[in-house]
Amino acid sequence: MAPDYTSGYNLPIRPRRLRKTENIRRMARETRLSTDNLIAPQFVMEGENDREEVSSMPDTYRHTIDRLVDHAETLSDLGIPAVALFPALPNALKTPDAKHALDPDHLYPNAVRALKDAVPELIVITDTALDPYNSDGHDGIVRDGSIDNDATIDVMCQMAVLHAEAGADIIAPSDMMDGRVGAIRDALDAAGHTDVAILSYTAKYSSSYYGPFRDALDSAPKADEEPDKDIPKNKDTYQMDPANGEEAVRELMLDLDEGADMVMVKPALPYLDVIHRVKQHSDVPVAAYNVSGEYAMIKAADQNGWLDDKNCALEALTGIRRAGADVILTYFAEDAARWLSE
């Protein structure tokens, strides 16, 4: 006798009806992820026709300018609209005052020029923090054992104008100094770059997830390497406390008042609640940075056979979008663009 599978339950509402087939799930899907939402961080280094893999970030590379341009063309062909550029400089060029950042003919502005000449439609986002140029390893200038907020802003304003003159589309201050968005806006406008936008790292946390990025740029604080100099051991005095959420809204209000065109939360996955809060209070696009540590964890687990990087990366990126991010900076950008086109 065949079993009777007829339900005895009277359930007029069955949410599984909208999960029955792939097409039904597509129609009912609330959050969409596309290449339009992706920004690809890129590392540039000195040299020619070369690239180096970042040891703690599998499949992520530092490129020389010529190889960077080739890679940017690939990213653009995949539909990725923007890159965020970071320089990997030799220690010999780093000084406590980060003066190399203001050289108009060094690696970074030359890379911006090359990108805009070769792929003019690709948006180039430049970083104005001092840590790639600072021998002390901080985002700002160290004086008497602390970070000098206003002296740092003075340098950043000059950097922003230099980047704009090189062709940058968007300036991204990632330092968390007080008042820097307004000062950079004034400097850009005074120099005639009123159309250059500002993407502020509005809620950048003093996070433990940045380790692989600091490996890529050798940009960690150097307190242990220079015991005779009073250098802060971490970035807690200027980046946000991971325990704070409402403070992000306060930072957001300040950045909006100072003229930020876009705002960012960094990192992303441990701070999905912060992304949601910022989105609720923001009237400009919200970005989130799916940082190096988040990327490295998934890649390491994939290499060990514990997780599948494709499925986990797409799930993570979708979760960041669901939390409220309009755009996502992610080292998965190229792979995600390919996966989304399958």
Side-chain angles (χ1 to χ4, degrees), residues 15 28 31 43 48 74 78 169 176 179 186 220 242 251 262 268 324:
T31 303
F43 301 118
E48 186 175 351
T74 298
L78 287 169
D169 301 287
M176 290 299 288
D186 288 344
E251 290 280 3
M262 302 174 70

Side-chain angles (χ1 to χ4, degrees), residues 6-289:
T6 303
S7 172
Y9 295 103
N10 179 21
L11 299 177
I13 299 174
R14 292 179 179 264
R16 287 183 56 190
R17 293 179 188 131
L18 297 183
R19 303 172 195 154
K20 184 176 180 180
T21 68
E22 172 61 20
N23 278 344
I24 290 176
R25 291 192 296 273
R26 286 173 56 206
M27 290 172 57
R29 190 159 292 150
E30 300 172 18
T31 303
R32 310 227 173 236
L33 177 69
S34 80
T35 54
D36 294 346
N37 308 121
L38 303 177
I39 296 172
Q42 298 292 297
F43 301 118
V44 62
M45 67 178 186
E46 300 279 5
E48 186 175 351
N49 192 30
D50 195 13
R51 71 176 189 175
E52 298 174 350
E53 187 174 29
V54 180
S55 61
S56 53
M57 299 177 67
D59 304 322
T60 299
Y61 298 87
R62 293 177 286 258
H63 295 89
T64 56
I65 290 178
D66 51 347
R67 296 287 290 270
L68 174 70
V69 167
D70 291 342
H71 189 56
E73 291 173 344
T74 298
L75 295 173
S76 182
D77 290 343
L78 287 169
I80 294 171
V83 296
L85 190 61
F86 301 94
L89 298 171
N91 286 332
L93 295 176
K94 299 180 181 182
T95 57
D97 59 3
K99 66 180 180 180
H100 189 66
L102 303 182
D103 183 344
D105 192 32
H106 82 274
L107 171 70
Y108 197 69
N110 288 339
V112 175
R113 293 185 191 100
L115 286 171
K116 294 307 296 184
D117 286 345
V119 199
E121 69 277 10
L122 186 69
I123 296 169
V124 176
I125 303 170
T126 61
D127 180 60
T128 60
L130 304 190
D131 51 324
Y133 313 91
N134 188 341
S135 57
D136 297 328
H138 276 281
D139 295 31
I141 294 173
V142 179
R143 289 183 177 165
D144 300 323
S146 63
I147 308 303
D148 190 321
N149 189 93
D150 295 4
T152 298
I153 292 177
D154 289 342
V155 179
M156 290 174 56
C157 287
Q158 296 175 70
M159 287 175 66
V161 172
L162 175 64
H163 296 174
E165 291 173 347
D169 301 287
I170 299 174
I171 304 297
S174 62
D175 56 297
M176 290 299 288
M177 297 298 117
D178 294 337
R180 88 275 203 215
V181 171
I184 290 172
R185 182 72 272 159
D186 288 344
L188 289 171
D189 291 353
H193 300 295
T194 56
D195 290 338
V196 174
I198 296 175
L199 165 57
S200 175
Y201 285 59
T202 291
K204 181 179 181 180
Y205 286 84
S206 186
S207 172
S208 298
Y209 285 84
Y210 302 148
F213 178 93
R214 292 173 181 170
D215 289 345
L217 300 187
D218 187 23
S219 62
K222 301 297 192 293
D224 293 337
E225 298 175 25
E226 299 187 48
D228 296 332
K229 185 174 181 180
D230 191 4
I231 300 173
K233 292 183 178 182
N234 54 50
K235 303 187 178 185
D236 291 353
T237 65
Y238 52 100
Q239 295 178 1
M240 284 180 55
D241 185 337
N244 293 355
E246 287 302 316
E247 184 183 9
V249 177
R250 184 185 186 203
E251 290 280 3
L252 169 67
M253 296 297 106
L254 291 168
D255 283 356
L256 294 177
D257 286 345
E258 292 175 25
D261 300 286
M262 302 174 70
V263 295
M264 187 195 298
V265 176
K266 179 182 179 181
L269 292 176
Y271 299 93
L272 296 177
D273 63 313
V274 177
I275 296 170
H276 183 66
R277 293 187 206 199
V278 168
K279 181 62 176 178
Q280 287 183 312
H281 291 87
S282 178
D283 59 1
V284 301
V286 174
Y289 203 140

